[in-house]
Amino acid sequence: MQPVVVAHRGASAHRAEHTLAAYALAIEQGADGLECDVRLSRDGHLVCVHDRRVNRTSTGRGVVSELELADLAGLDFGGWHDELPPSADDLIREPVAVPSARPTERGLLTLTDLLGLIVDAPRPVTLFVETKHPVRYGGLVEAKLLATLARYGLARPASKQDSRVLMMSFSARAVRRMHRYAPRLPTVLLRDSISPMRRDGSLPPWADVTGPGVHLLRADPDYVARAAARGVATYCWTVDDPADIALCQRLGVRYLATNSPVATRRQLAG
Ligand code: G3P
Ligand code: CA
């Protein structure tokens, strides 16, 4: 079975991450799923921003949780990112016709905006939402996420297989909390490292999918098979290098998070 191609922060190789333009392009590029990070603004809105601060990815400065939605909405989140790749070699490797992002697609992206895009997409697309921790609001992030998903009828799928949303976090507490709130919503436990006790591929009962960084699979490729033997699927991030894509395909990684859905899909198709 081919891996499910998940656009990491949107088609972020070609568009500024976490912008509507990046996600719209990912859908055009044939991504099966979209990955996003969420944080709470000071006034309690879930916004799609990776870093604790907005400094790297916008025209503003400051900590997301100290800014109100109106402050964040006034920032340009697209201008920092060059739409051309770093070198002409990349253009040859990835000959993608990429129209310029419209200014309206470069502003702040809320989770609600992203869910709107998914609901209106011409084909089913799965959302992989990562809650960032530690944050000053703690568990309020998961509570708010669930309430937002519920408004779109996505919080209580008929079964885990039917779910169009997976919740993810590096925080075990956050994943466990989400499982308690919504037991049928599938969860991914992200990991930068795996404790010796869990190298057998096992997961705690509140997590459904294991989420290692690709560096962990390079060091221990058999981990995917050990997890599969326990009925645990693997979500691997962030897989852009052709050798890593080939490795994940060979190992049977189920979900592959990539910054360039078009290049990854092309390589997977052979
Ligand atoms: O998809 C998981 C991956 O996004 C985790 O790392 O830092 O890019 O959020 P990060
Ligand atoms: Ca992420």
Side-chain angles (χ1 to χ4, degrees):
M1 201 194 300
Q2 287 284 25
V4 171
V5 174
V6 181
H8 185 249
R9 311 183 194 176
S12 56
H14 300 284
R15 288 278 193 265
E17 66 185 59
H18 289 118
T19 57
L20 199 57
Y23 289 104
L25 183 63
I27 293 173
E28 274 173 45
Q29 291 188 349
D32 305 301
L34 306 178
E35 186 264 2
C36 72
D37 302 300
V38 290
R39 293 177 175 276
L40 276 177
S41 66
R42 184 176 172 207
D43 48 348
H45 295 271
L46 281 173
V47 295
C48 301
V49 180
H50 176 273
D51 302 357
R52 184 172 162 268
R53 295 174 176 273
V54 296
N55 303 25
R56 177 180 64 88
T57 56
S58 83
T59 44
R61 299 187 70 73
V63 176
V64 176
S65 62
E66 293 174 2
L67 295 166
E68 297 194 2
L69 187 67
D71 304 320
L72 292 161
L75 305 177
D76 179 353
F77 280 81
W80 64 278
H81 187 275
D82 196 337
E83 289 180 1
L84 289 172
S87 89
D89 290 346
D90 297 329
L91 270 180
I92 294 163
R93 190 171 84 84
E94 294 185 26
V96 190
V98 185
S100 280
R102 288 191 290 274
T104 50
E105 295 184 335
R106 298 181 7 170
L108 172 77
L109 186 72
T110 64
L111 182 64
T112 304
D113 297 330
L114 185 53
L115 286 168
L117 184 77
I118 286 172
V119 167
D120 292 341
R123 58 187 168 76
V125 180
T126 304
L127 181 64
F128 295 73
V129 190
E130 179 184 345
T131 61
K132 286 297 189 195
H133 289 278
V135 286
R136 73 176 58 195
Y137 298 114
L140 191 57
V141 182
E142 283 75 37
K144 196 83 189 185
L145 171 58
L146 193 62
T148 308
L149 295 178
R151 287 212 304 278
Y152 286 81
L154 297 169
R156 304 195 191 285
S159 70
K160 289 187 177 181
Q161 290 69 34
D162 290 327
S163 183
R164 290 187 64 186
V165 178
L166 287 86
M167 178 272 177
M168 316 194 289
S169 192
F170 285 100
S171 161
R173 287 181 73 180
V175 175
R176 196 170 58 227
R177 186 183 297 129
M178 198 63 177
H179 176 75
R180 207 171 56 237
Y181 292 164
R184 285 204 300 268
L185 200 73
T187 55
V188 182
L189 181 59
L190 296 170
R191 38 257 294 246
D192 257 332
S193 62
I194 300 180
S195 67
M197 202 185 92
R198 294 292 183 190
R199 287 192 195 139
D200 60 0
S202 64
L203 275 183
W206 34 263
D208 299 296
V209 175
T210 183
V214 69
H215 59 288
L216 298 177
L217 299 191
R218 285 188 211 123
D220 182 10
D222 295 341
Y223 173 77
V224 178
R226 293 197 297 277
R230 293 171 173 273
V232 173
T234 300
Y235 167 104
C236 184
W237 52 277
T238 303
V239 188
D240 290 331
D241 187 289
D244 289 337
I245 297 169
L247 175 72
C248 288
Q249 188 175 26
R250 182 166 60 76
L251 298 178
V253 166
R254 179 90 185 93
Y255 306 102
L256 200 156
T258 174
N259 295 322
S260 180
V262 68
T264 299
R265 191 169 277 306
R266 189 179 298 143
Q267 181 176 332
L268 289 173

